[in-house]
Every structure is written in C-alpha cells, then in structure tokens.
Amino acid sequence: MAVRTVVRLLIVGLLLTLATIISGALVTVSASAAACSSWPLCLEIVSDGGNPLVWIAMSHRLIVALALLVVLAGTWAVWRSTEIDAPPRWTALVAVFLFLSQALAGALLVWGVPAMVADVWHLSGALMAFGAQVLTLLLIVIPVPSANERLSGRAAQTQRRLRGLAAWAAAAAGVAALAIGARSVAPAVEMAVGLPANSVGALSFAALLSGLMAVEIRRRLPVAAQSSVVAMALPRYSPLLPILALIALAGLWLPGGHLLSLSAASLLWAGALAAAVIIHRTPLHFMTAIAPSQPASKWRTVIADYISLTKPKVISLLLVTTLTTMFITEAGLPSWWLVLWTMIGGYLAAGGAGAINCAFDSDIDVNMGRTSRRPVPSGRISARAAFIFGVILSVLSIVVLWVFTTPLAAFFAFLGIIYYAYFYTSLLKRSTWQNIIIGGGAGAIPPLVGWTAVTGSISLMAVVLFAIIFYWTPPHFWALALVKQKDYARAGVPMLPVVAGEAETRWQILVYSAIMVAVSLLPVAIGAMSWIYLAGALLFGLRFMRDAWAVWKVGDQAAIWGLYKYSLLYLALVFAVMVADRLILG
C-alpha cells in the first residue's frame, strides 16, 4: 500500500480519536452516560428517543466505533506497507491496544464499575491512544536522518539541548492533557494512575516549557532555508504551542470551558510531540553555524545578571532546609505538586529578598572585593531596577504560596522577606555587631514555610528547626567575616571581627557552635526523632565542634575556611538525616 494512502488513513483515525475524546468529555459533563444502561448499543433510543441525553451518549458510542474501525484499518495498513520501518508499526499497535482498553473501560462504566476506576481510564486511555497515533503518523512522515551527517561539537551540544527541551515540553503537555482529563471525571481526587489532577499547575508548567522551546527554536533556526519543509515550519508554528496552553488554562476558568480546555490541551500535546519528533529526526546542522549575534549575547548577560540578583547559591541551601522539612511533618509525605509549588514559592521569596538586599546594599558592595562585581555596584543593573525586580518576585511568591500551599506558609514567606530585606539589610547590618545574631532569624524561616505548607499549622518541632538554623548562622557567618574583615571595615559594616577583634570572634564562634549542637539534639528530647537522627546529629555535631575548636585555638586561615565550608555541609546533613529517620522508622 502506498505511504500516502496510509498517511491519509492515519489522519482520519487521528481526527476521529480527537472527536472521541471531545464527545466523551461532553458525555461526562452532561452526565448523559446514565441515560444508556446497555452496551454497546443504547436501547433507550427506542423507549426514550426524545431524551437529548440519550442521543449524546449514543453519538459518542458511534464515534468510538467508527474511530476504532479506522484505527484498526490504519494499523493494518501500516503493517502491510513495505515502505514503513519498525518504529511506527509498534506505536500503531500500542494505539490499538490503548483504544481497545479505553473502550472496555467505557463498557465497565456502563456495567457499574466505580467511575473513579473506569471513567478516569476511559478518558485517559483515549488521550494516550491519541498520542500514540500522533507518534505513528510523525514517524512515517518525518524521515530518519542520514547516519553520514556529522555535526560540529558546538552544534551537537546545542542540538542535544534543544532535543532535551523538546522532549520535556512534550512530556509536560501530555501530563497536562491527562490532568485535565482527570479534572473532568474526578476533580477532587488524584488520577488512578498516580498523576495529580492539578491541571492548573500542569498547564502552567507545559506553557513555560513550550514557550522556552518556541524561543529556542526561533533563536536557533534563523537560516533554515537549507533544511526540510517540516523543519522550516518549526520557527513559524512553534509559538502556537504556548498559546494553546494558555487557551487551555483560560478554559479552566471560563463557565463551561472544560471542552475548550481539553481540546486545546490535546492539540498542545500533538503539537509538542510533532516538534519533538521533528527536532530529533531532522539534522539541524545549521543551528550554530553562525556565531550568536551581539544582541543575543547581551540578552543572555542581562538574564544572567538578574538571576544573580536572586543569589542562587544562597537559595540552594535555604531550599534544602525547606524541602527536607516537608518530609518530616506529622502529616506524612506531601504530594509532589505541593513540593513543586513550595519550592517555586520559596525560590521567589528568597530571590526577591536577595534582589532587594542587592539594591539596598549597593553602597556597601562596591567597597568589598567579594561583592563589587555584582550587577548593581558594577553598574550593569540600576538599584531601582533591582528593587522593582525584587518586589515583583516577592509578590509572586506570596501569591504562589497562598494559592497552591497554605496562607500560613505565605505569611511566613512574607515575614522572611521583610525580616531580611528591610529589618536586617537596612537596620541591623549597618548599626550593630549583633546584626548576624538577630538577623539569623531570616535564614531560619524556610523550615517554617515548608512545615506550614504541608500541615497548615505550626508546632514545637518546627520551632526547633528554626532554632537550629538560628544558632547555626553566627558561627557560619562569623567564619566568613574573619576572612573578609578588611572588606567590612572598609565598607563601614560593624561586623563582630571589626568591632571586637579576632580573638573575641573566635571565642563567640565556639560558644554558639556548642549551643547549636545542643539545640540540634532537641528533636530527640521532644520525641520527634529517634536513634538514627541522634547518631547522625552527634556525629555531625562533634565534627563541627572539632572545627570550631580549631578556629578558637589555632585561628589560621585554613582552620577558618575549614569551618566555613563544613558549616554549609553540616546543615544539609542534619536535615537529611531527619528525613532518613522519619522515612525509615516512621
């Protein structure tokens, strides 16, 4: 059979499968499934032919039957054609299996199997069959690249990056389509296959990835005249993908917009799969054939500068304490959607506070070697722009945490932003040597955000976690201040080594280290942790005390740097062993 005929048959099957999905969603929304108690025929047509619900349900079954016939015919044609290789043959078989299984789920639903089992798989199976059909069609239409074509090292690296982004965008679009399908049949329950019915979050993530992919495609394919027709179409049509995601997202908020949302999400999935297959199968050797233009390089620099305002290295440790805290609450393991939104909100909050700090501290940073190359003191970004950027991130963090986690988590994030960006940066840092002692509370708030995001309330264990980081901050930061005391003196910042001298600072490091280790044992004392955590906390704490003792007794640069570097690892290890204790011993 000619490939052109096979392709036409597959396209008809694809359109009928899409009609199956939309009509099935209409059946669910209208609750017309109950109008037909028999299967596969709807005998109520004879006795209750005037009921429109009967006709909706029967029309869906007719579309399913017709689609199944065409899908079977298409698969038979694919296997019969000698011009088609193996991959599309197997994806066609997968499509048939998924279509048959979703049809069986529809029958089970009519026969009384709980909707949470049958109805979810009925729609999800149709969506996955639709994806398998799209893959079959694409693998036939888009040829395999020639093995003789070689890319340069830089071009190959760029192509791998773009292929990875395309694959993630396709996966995110598939999850979004499944999540919307789950929303229609089980809006308050997770899907039976384990995918959360958080269609808002799934669509937002799909919109982000498809948007990034569209930007990269338009940036990397500026001279596509030498490539295939399908590759030439990518820069023109890839922006439609994030638009489809936004349409699907808007449909969730419109009255009766579920069908629009499901249709747009299905098309988004098909389009994302098409982009992924095109990028994987087309040798885009021209992607990096020309050097990046100066404007693109400038934009990358600007983006990198704004990211640096958020202080990613500092945030990484804050997010570790937030993440691990979420797994040790009495509420049990959190859903991965809750974890994702808490991490996003936490990054936005800490990044916003960091950007505001950079705006306020530009006069100090310019006099310190460690910070003079930051975007604001170096003049690449104005203090006003950094402040506005920080405020925007801060507001977004509150919105994200309030909507997707709990109001109490949003409150603590807001408290942390005000504490660090204003109370510490503008007041404490410039006025007293106790700036680090009192200001340490800002860095101790992330565990409270993680705890309240899961539980919606505060508890004694959460306060203990706050205290551990509170007493960890002085020895950690004073070690850095000992190394950089000349910078602080030149900038006029009253850090402890500048005000009281090195000897007093080394003694205070030892004292606060001892307090921190003692506080780290409180989770066992209050019954929140058991022997696994006790052993870990003692082991890591004794190592910390050994380094603090070396700083007090020896006080050379090697000892100070050793304590500073281990203090970063210590906090992550202590929180990690809490998770191990909770997961192993419950």
Side-chain angles (χ1 to χ4, degrees), residues 343-405:
M343 292 297 99
I344 292 174
Y347 188 97
L348 291 172
I356 296 173
N357 170 269
C358 288
F360 286 166
D361 272 0
S362 58
D363 59 326
I364 293 175
D365 290 343
V366 75
N367 292 307
M368 300 181 64
R370 182 173 62 93
T371 59
S372 61
R373 291 183 296 276
R374 286 177 176 174
V376 177
S378 63
R380 299 193 303 274
I381 294 177
S382 68
R384 182 172 177 271
F387 176 76
I388 294 173
F389 178 64
V391 170
I392 291 173
L393 292 186
S394 300
V395 172
L396 285 175
S397 73
I398 304 305
V399 172
V400 166
L401 291 172
W402 188 287
V403 172
F404 295 106
T405 63

Side-chain angles (χ1 to χ4, degrees), residues 37-52:
S37 58
S38 56
W39 191 90
L41 298 177
C42 183
L43 300 180
E44 282 79 1
I45 288 287
V46 178
S47 59
D48 194 15
N51 186 354

Side-chain angles (χ1 to χ4, degrees), residues 206-288:
L208 174 63
L209 286 180
S210 58
L212 288 174
M213 182 180 66
V215 170
E216 279 296 295
I217 287 173
R218 291 183 68 86
R219 221 176 107 228
R220 296 296 183 183
L221 310 184
V223 287
Q226 303 299 321
S227 187
S228 63
V229 174
V230 288
M232 290 172 62
L234 270 179
R236 179 176 298 177
Y237 295 109
S238 58
L240 292 177
L241 299 181
I243 293 174
L244 284 170
L246 293 176
I247 291 174
L249 193 60
L252 297 177
W253 306 102
L254 295 174
H258 176 72
L259 293 180
L260 172 65
S261 185
L262 184 61
S263 302
S266 301
L267 293 175
L268 169 65
W269 192 8
L273 284 172
V277 174
I278 291 171
I279 292 172
H280 275 77
R281 286 205 158 195
T282 303
L284 307 177
H285 55 277
F286 46 81
M287 286 195 301
T288 54

Side-chain angles (χ1 to χ4, degrees), residues 66-114:
L66 183 59
L68 179 57
L69 289 174
V70 177
V71 170
L72 287 170
T75 302
W76 176 83
V78 169
W79 277 85
R80 288 275 297 176
S81 177
T82 57
E83 302 176 50
I84 297 176
D85 55 5
R89 294 185 176 189
W90 293 111
T91 53
L93 281 180
V94 170
V96 169
F97 170 77
L98 290 170
F99 204 101
L100 287 172
S101 63
Q102 69 84 25
L104 177 60
L108 293 175
L109 187 64
V110 174
W111 294 335
V113 174

